[in-house]
Amino acid sequence: MKTPNRFATLTGAAVAATLALSGCGGAAPAADGTKAPSVATKTSGILNVGIDLTYPPYDMLTDGKPAGFDVEVMNAISADLGLKPQYSDTRFAQIVAGIKADRYDVIASTLYVSSARSKEVDFVPYFQTGNSIVVPKDAAALTDAQSLCGKKVSVVTATVIAKIMPTTESDKCKAAGKEAITVQEFPTDPEATQALLSGQVDAQMTDAAVAKTVIEKSNSRLKISSGALIYPVAVGLAVRKGNTALQEALTKSVENLKTSGSFAKILKEYNLEPVDPAVLAESLKQG
């Protein structure tokens, strides 16, 4: 589930520590020095990435090394650009301020695209996330938000879906002659999952990549029952405003990874999707 700070105003003190990449499991190989860098960066031959390594499975530390979806993507992009990735661990609340202060070349930290943020950084949209529904393995499939009418659903406290489902979505249920959704909020995803496993709720709704991790840790007791992402939102890499050269290089590299098929493999691994133009357009309307 998207933690509340992913939607918060970008304030607070920075906590930054530069972490040099060295062999994160499952990631694409870093540039080996034989390919000339195809774009200029702050430090020659290095792509310095601002990232908050406290948000698994997107961004995290595994055995003390950067790992997760964004790290796999940036390792692949760096190799394509002839650069070596270096990760600057920065708390999310200060991550945009960091690139505006020129502390790193690019942000890759599950940064949602929005109208307000597009005024502060230049985006390279690279995937979209959203929510998935998790149910017991033998339960009937609940495929979308409206299939939750009359059901008890566990979610994380203070998230967007915790606000939408008992209001806007439940209003749709009532208009269709169905019962409202009963939302039970929990401080963390593991607690929301435990409520599902213990039978307190019928389903859990959470971020799509987090849902994939929930399934993997459930010992085959749970499954993802929804198909397309629910409440999708575009996510972008971000560069300093006006850094057109790097923005264009990153855009081209993402297209190269799509053409090679490697990007699709990473997306599938994390239960994510490429950006739909309509979703991107809608995201850019949001504050």
Side-chain angles (χ1 to χ4, degrees), residues 137-189:
K137 187 175 182 179
D138 296 329
L142 300 171
T143 57
D144 55 26
Q146 277 297 289
S147 68
L148 298 174
C149 297
K151 304 292 185 183
K152 295 179 181 179
V153 185
S154 62
V155 302
V156 172
T157 301
T159 53
V160 169
I161 60 173
K163 298 175 182 178
I164 291 177
M165 288 200 293
T167 55
T168 305
E169 205 63 61
S170 286
D171 288 345
K172 293 180 183 177
C173 293
K174 295 172 185 177
K178 304 174 185 177
E179 294 183 12
I181 303 168
T182 301
V183 175
Q184 294 190 14
E185 298 184 34
F186 295 87
T188 66
D189 272 296

Side-chain angles (χ1 to χ4, degrees), residues 263-278:
F263 193 58
K265 291 179 181 178
I266 300 174
L267 288 173
K268 183 177 180 180
E269 177 186 352
Y270 286 88
N271 190 35
L272 299 170
E273 297 177 353
V275 181
D276 183 310

Side-chain angles (χ1 to χ4, degrees), residues 45-284:
I46 300 291
L47 184 64
N48 194 306
V49 181
I51 188 170
D52 183 348
L53 294 168
T54 65
Y55 188 53
Y58 292 98
D59 314 298
M60 57 192 174
L61 286 171
T62 300
D63 298 327
K65 298 175 183 178
F69 172 80
D70 283 317
V71 173
E72 292 198 37
V73 171
M74 293 314 298
N75 289 351
I77 286 175
S78 297
D80 183 65
L81 294 175
L83 300 168
K84 180 180 179 180
Q86 182 172 284
Y87 295 92
S88 293
D89 188 11
T90 305
R91 296 295 74 82
F92 192 83
Q94 197 65 17
I95 206 160
V96 169
I99 202 160
K100 291 170 73 174
D102 206 24
R103 294 188 189 121
Y104 25 81
D105 299 298
V106 57
I107 295 171
S109 196
T110 321
L111 187 67
Y112 285 7
V113 173
S114 72
S115 174
R117 286 176 178 158
S118 68
K119 294 178 175 64
E120 297 189 278
V121 299
D122 287 332
F123 277 115
V124 177
Y126 64 127
F127 78 100
Q128 64 186 38
T129 186
N131 295 275
S132 292
I133 299 171
V134 179
V135 298
K137 187 175 182 179
D138 296 329
L142 300 171
T143 57
D144 55 26
Q146 277 297 289
S147 68
L148 298 174
C149 297
K151 304 292 185 183
K152 295 179 181 179
V153 185
S154 62
V155 302
V156 172
T157 301
T159 53
V160 169
I161 60 173
K163 298 175 182 178
I164 291 177
M165 288 200 293
T167 55
T168 305
E169 205 63 61
S170 286
D171 288 345
K172 293 180 183 177
C173 293
K174 295 172 185 177
K178 304 174 185 177
E179 294 183 12
I181 303 168
T182 301
V183 175
Q184 294 190 14
E185 298 184 34
F186 295 87
T188 66
D189 272 296
E191 290 170 280
T193 302
Q194 188 55 46
L196 177 59
L197 288 169
S198 64
Q200 297 177 50
V201 297
D202 302 301
Q204 175 185 3
M205 188 185 284
T206 187
D207 177 272
V210 175
K212 181 81 166 2
T213 301
V214 167
I215 300 307
E216 292 169 351
K217 292 181 177 179
S218 74
N219 295 320
S220 301
R221 290 178 291 172
L222 301 174
K223 66 180 180 182
I224 294 175
S225 67
S226 52
L229 294 177
I230 300 170
Y231 312 131
V233 60
V235 183
L237 304 175
V239 300
R240 194 177 184 187
K241 203 72 180 170
N243 191 349
T244 305
L246 183 55
Q247 182 186 30
E248 291 178 351
L250 291 168
T251 300
K252 182 178 179 181
S253 187
V254 170
E255 290 305 314
N256 289 344
L257 297 182
K258 289 179 180 178
T259 299
S260 71
S262 59
F263 193 58
K265 291 179 181 178
I266 300 174
L267 288 173
K268 183 177 180 180
E269 177 186 352
Y270 286 88
N271 190 35
L272 299 170
E273 297 177 353
V275 181
D276 183 310
V279 171
L280 175 59
E282 188 61 31
S283 296
L284 283 168

